[in-house]
Amino acid sequence: MKEFDVVVIGAGAAGLMCGATAGYRGKSVAILDMGKKAGRKILISGGGRCNFTNENTKPENYLCRNPHFVKSCLSRYTQFDFIDLVDRHGLAFHHKTLGQLFCDNSAQDIVDILMTECEWAGVEVTLRTEVLKVSKNEDGYYLNTSNGDYQCQSLVVASGGLTMPKLGATPIGYQIAEQFNLAVLPTTAALVPFTLHDHDKQRFDGLSGMSIDCLVSSENEQSFRENILFTHRGLSGPAILQISSYWQAGQAVSINLLPDLTLSELIASWRQNSPKKSLKNCLSEILPKRFIEILINEQAIPDKAVNQLTHTEIKQIHDYFHNWMIKPNGTEGYRTAEVTLGGVDTDELSSKTFEAKKAKGLYFIGEVTEVTGWLGGYNFQYAWSSGVACGLAV
Ligand code: FAD
């Protein structure tokens, strides 16, 4: 049996950060992961370039039953602290839109930085080791793994969520929480594309690959201004992924297809300047033509010259484009989702240390907790911040 001060389950973003932080404090640390490589989700993130943080990270960018929970860790280890770390390692990176930071070369650079930090901190990272069972005895926590048994004073669960089962996602973190009587909030896929009902799929067949800059809103009035993308299964694109975290089965989403314009005013100007021009041709100047043709063909909007439109029709057309309602059939689920909504209830954890209030020496960090960030580097920032807070406490 191997003995350590700290055992971390999961060599992902949160686990590696926590392990290195604890190692630098002189703790003996083992990080166990069932994968062949460390940081497998980091490697596939951000299209292979890892959107590793967001310069504008704020607590408001997270969904959590207790919105105050993330404040402490995000303020103790900020996005700028992580930027300092990657700067010290000479990482080449660039800014994209909305404060998102990406590696210039490859997400492998981020994994290399974390593995180097672990090495410098004397942390043992052991791969191909699946944690099968955890128990508690008078000496601390005892782990049965596919690669021998471990004993530790502090057990950190950084086993992630349920997304991408191909990459080794397991429910072990939730099972450990339940074993120690901690509440686990129901889990669902988030930051995930929507699937559409068959009739909508048929309507938009042929639009696959087309994207439109929109303002998308959920029924609880959360809005995101980014692109939507038609796919052969339904709708995706950053605005859709963002709103999926706020969507519940059976609800509709409202899509403002012309967020920078007031269509009724635009129609008035068309009526004045080019009265005989068809509505279809006018609209095709501001939205993709194939999309407008579908709406005309299904008579969602009239096939008329703009000077023939009645005032009632103008109001209906205005409302249609500024509040285009779509009722998704569902989501693509954990297979393609970026994150898991729900997880270990943060009411059960200290927001300073991430230790379970009911189980001394047991900690939960990263995605296994019910904290879910927006798209745009926020999820990794929470992994870094929760990892450091916990690493300083174990
Ligand atoms: P994980 O990274 O999931 O790590 C958990 C680890 O635990 C895994 O390595 C797993 O093998 C291991 N494990 C699980 N069970 C066991 C067990 N029983 N025994 C041993 N080991 C076990 N977020 C961003 O901020 N920016 C992005 O660009 C971004 N892109 C993404 C792209 C994709 C396709 C996906 C799926 C996610 C993306 N995310 C992104 C989200 C981000 O990857 C996660 O929020 C983050 O990886 C969570 O880190 P974690 O350490 O909590 O969990």
Side-chain angles (χ1 to χ4, degrees):
M1 195 190 40
K2 296 167 193 147
E3 284 181 38
F4 290 87
D5 296 331
V6 184
V7 170
V8 181
I9 306 178
L16 292 170
M17 200 67 183
C18 174
T21 307
Y24 280 128
R25 287 176 50 233
K27 302 283 173 190
S28 63
V29 182
I31 305 180
L32 311 178
D33 200 294
M34 60 199 275
K36 281 188 270 184
K37 290 180 184 169
R40 284 181 296 172
K41 271 208 192 132
I42 300 174
L43 293 173
I44 57 156
S45 67
R49 292 239 162 96
C50 185
N51 177 193
F52 56 82
T53 191
N54 192 298
E55 286 179 310
N56 306 322
T57 303
K58 292 186 294 298
E60 295 77 56
N61 304 122
Y62 294 87
L63 291 94
C64 179
R65 211 163 62 142
N66 170 4
H68 303 294
F69 181 81
V70 294
K71 285 184 178 167
S72 169
C73 73
L74 290 178
S75 66
R76 285 167 70 204
Y77 190 84
T78 69
Q79 57 272 39
F80 306 109
D81 292 318
F82 193 76
I83 295 168
D84 275 352
L85 172 71
V86 298
D87 268 340
R88 285 202 302 278
H89 285 263
L91 178 82
F93 65 89
H94 59 276
H95 300 235
K96 257 198 183 169
T97 51
L98 306 170
Q100 302 166 16
L101 301 187
F102 284 80
C103 301
D104 282 356
N105 301 316
S106 153
Q108 181 70 53
D109 295 343
I110 295 290
V111 177
D112 291 346
I113 289 172
L114 295 169
M115 291 300 280
T116 304
E117 288 288 322
C118 282
E119 194 188 324
W120 289 346
V123 174
E124 248 182 54
V125 180
T126 307
L127 302 173
R128 299 174 197 263
T129 301
E130 181 172 7
V131 176
L132 304 168
K133 211 173 135 215
V134 167
S135 52
K136 193 168 193 278
N137 56 26
E138 63 277 13
D139 297 324
Y141 290 87
Y142 187 83
L143 292 88
N144 298 116
T145 82
S146 59
N147 197 9
D149 297 342
Y150 287 76
Q151 172 83 45
C152 58
Q153 293 298 307
S154 301
L155 175 61
V156 180
V157 182
S159 54
L162 297 173
T163 58
M164 299 250 158
K166 270 194 307 198
L167 288 187
T170 77
I172 190 159
Y174 310 130
Q175 289 162 357
I176 296 171
E178 280 165 355
Q179 183 186 339
F180 289 90
N181 294 320
L182 310 181
V184 176
L185 302 183
T187 56
T188 46
L191 298 182
V192 62
F194 285 140
T195 55
L196 294 177
H197 291 282
D198 283 345
H199 68 273
D200 277 332
K201 253 197 281 187
Q202 277 157 16
R203 281 170 80 194
F204 305 124
D205 191 33
L207 296 188
S208 185
M210 175 185 290
S211 71
I212 305 176
D213 171 26
C214 297
L215 182 74
V216 182
S217 307
S218 62
E219 283 191 11
N220 66 359
E221 295 182 354
Q222 181 69 43
S223 296
F224 292 95
R225 171 75 188 269
E226 277 182 85
N227 280 348
I228 65 164
L229 172 73
F230 290 89
T231 71
H232 57 277
R233 287 193 212 95
L235 286 176
S236 185
I240 294 294
L241 299 185
Q242 297 279 33
I243 215 70
S244 72
S245 301
Y246 292 86
W247 177 81
Q248 283 173 14
Q251 292 185 338
V253 291
S254 157
I255 302 181
N256 182 346
L257 292 157
L258 297 168
D260 291 329
L261 299 169
T262 306
L263 187 55
S264 54
E265 287 174 9
L266 196 60
I267 294 175
S269 79
W270 290 333
R271 280 154 70 89
Q272 209 166 35
N273 301 328
S274 42
K276 298 220 163 103
K277 201 163 165 182
S278 69
L279 177 66
K280 177 170 129 185
N281 285 348
C282 288
L283 286 170
S284 298
E285 286 171 11
I286 51 173
L287 283 167
K289 190 173 173 199
R290 274 186 295 150
F291 179 60
I292 298 301
E293 279 169 355
I294 287 171
L295 301 182
I296 294 272
N297 289 343
E298 66 185 17
Q299 296 176 347
I301 50 172
D303 190 11
K304 284 182 175 179
V306 281
N307 65 351
Q308 287 172 1
L309 295 170
T310 65
H311 287 294
T312 311
E313 282 174 328
I314 292 171
K315 182 171 183 321
Q316 282 167 351
I317 296 163
H318 172 97
D319 292 345
Y320 189 84
F321 283 92
H322 285 295
N323 186 20
W324 188 50
M325 300 298 286
I326 284 286
K327 205 171 200 179
N329 181 25
T331 73
E332 289 188 10
Y334 293 121
R335 192 180 55 83
T336 55
E338 289 205 7
V339 287
T340 303
L341 200 66
V344 178
D345 188 343
T346 52
D347 280 353
E348 303 278 14
L349 308 175
S350 152
S351 62
K352 279 219 171 71
T353 63
F354 292 78
E355 187 174 24
K357 293 174 190 166
K358 291 179 195 154
K360 200 169 160 9
L362 179 63
Y363 300 77
F364 293 84
I365 55 170
E367 203 182 317
V368 72
T369 67
E370 51 137 335
V371 175
T372 302
W374 289 3
L375 186 78
Y378 302 101
N379 283 296
F380 279 134
Q381 185 56 47
Y382 173 64
W384 318 135
S385 298
S386 60
V388 169
C390 177
L392 289 172
V394 282

